[in-house]
Amino acid sequence: MIAQESNLTPMSVQPYRDNLDNLLSHLALLDMRLLSEIQRMRLRADMQGDDEFKGLFVSEDDIEAVLTEMSQTRNGTGGTNIQPLSGLIAQKKNEIVARTEISREADESLNVENLGRAFGLSEFDINVMILCIAPEIDIKYETLYSYLQEDVSKRKPTLNLALNLLCSNTSERIECRN
């Protein structure tokens, strides 16, 4: 991963305690991306009006339950009042980069980083890997993936879901497909 400029001061950044701490940090970033995509999807649905099939495959109640759980896990409070997350996503990405760099300097071996280096993975590739292994860690991701893909049979991420979550524009989507 390439170091990016961050607003985190060196004193506030701590190396990862272990591989689990690193993986949980990547999953937290994935959670933010999923929440952001759910916001976008709901906004589009609201703008299109009522759809008789809305929530047919994965109910809104199911998603609310998962979002509430994610919110409580992330910050210890209830509720699903999700604010725009682009700033938080950027901050979390910078935190991961900074903590990874400090861990590397402390000779801490991180599996995610090691896999990336060993196989020449890009940041996009690593994020796709996290997206794919997430349901093996927590089944809630299957529910979220089904909801975002509007198909209960799509419980694993598709390329389209990965591009929706990880790319900010059409040219980036095309570049990442190659």
Side-chain angles (χ1 to χ4, degrees):
M1 297 175 93
I2 299 170
Q4 299 172 355
E5 190 168 317
S6 167
N7 61 355
L8 302 171
T9 63
M11 295 177 69
S12 68
V13 177
Q14 298 294 316
Y16 288 107
R17 291 184 303 275
D18 52 29
N19 282 299
L20 177 60
D21 188 25
N22 179 245
L23 180 59
L24 291 175
S25 189
H26 282 281
L27 289 173
L29 177 58
L30 174 59
D31 287 351
M32 290 178 196
R33 287 181 166 136
L34 289 166
L35 292 171
S36 180
E37 187 62 21
I38 288 169
Q39 279 184 316
R40 279 192 293 273
M41 185 178 185
R42 286 180 169 175
L43 181 60
R44 281 190 308 265
D46 287 346
M47 291 172 66
Q48 293 172 353
D50 287 340
D51 179 359
E52 67 181 279
F53 298 109
K54 183 178 179 183
L56 178 63
F57 296 115
V58 179
S59 75
E60 289 293 326
D61 290 342
D62 290 341
I63 290 302
E64 283 302 321
V66 172
L67 293 176
T68 298
E69 178 186 327
M70 287 170 67
S71 176
Q72 290 171 341
T73 301
R74 195 172 66 249
N75 60 23
T77 62
T80 57
N81 184 14
I82 303 166
Q83 301 301 316
L85 296 168
S86 59
L88 292 174
I89 290 170
Q91 182 179 355
K92 187 65 174 179
K93 285 171 56 174
N94 289 338
E95 176 190 317
I96 289 171
V97 168
R99 290 185 73 192
T100 299
E101 183 63 33
I102 288 177
S103 296
R104 186 181 313 122
E105 290 171 3
D107 289 327
E108 181 72 34
S109 178
L110 299 174
N111 291 339
V112 172
E113 179 78 10
N114 293 342
L115 279 169
R117 262 196 320 275
F119 293 101
L121 301 178
S122 67
E123 182 180 351
F124 177 80
D125 296 333
I126 290 171
N127 288 321
V128 169
M129 180 181 66
I130 298 296
L131 183 69
C132 291
I133 66 169
E136 303 303 322
I137 296 167
D138 191 333
I139 200 160
K140 75 178 181 191
Y141 292 103
E142 289 187 356
T143 303
L144 292 168
Y145 296 170
S146 294
Y147 179 79
L148 288 171
Q149 297 176 107
E150 299 183 35
D151 186 340
V152 74
S153 68
K154 292 183 180 177
R155 296 162 39 137
K156 303 296 182 195
T158 60
L159 177 58
N160 188 58
L161 178 63
L163 295 172
N164 286 344
L165 292 172
L166 303 172
C167 299
S168 58
N169 57 51
T170 303
S171 61
E172 192 176 346
R173 288 175 64 92
I174 292 169
E175 182 180 323
C176 287
R177 281 189 76 109
N178 296 328

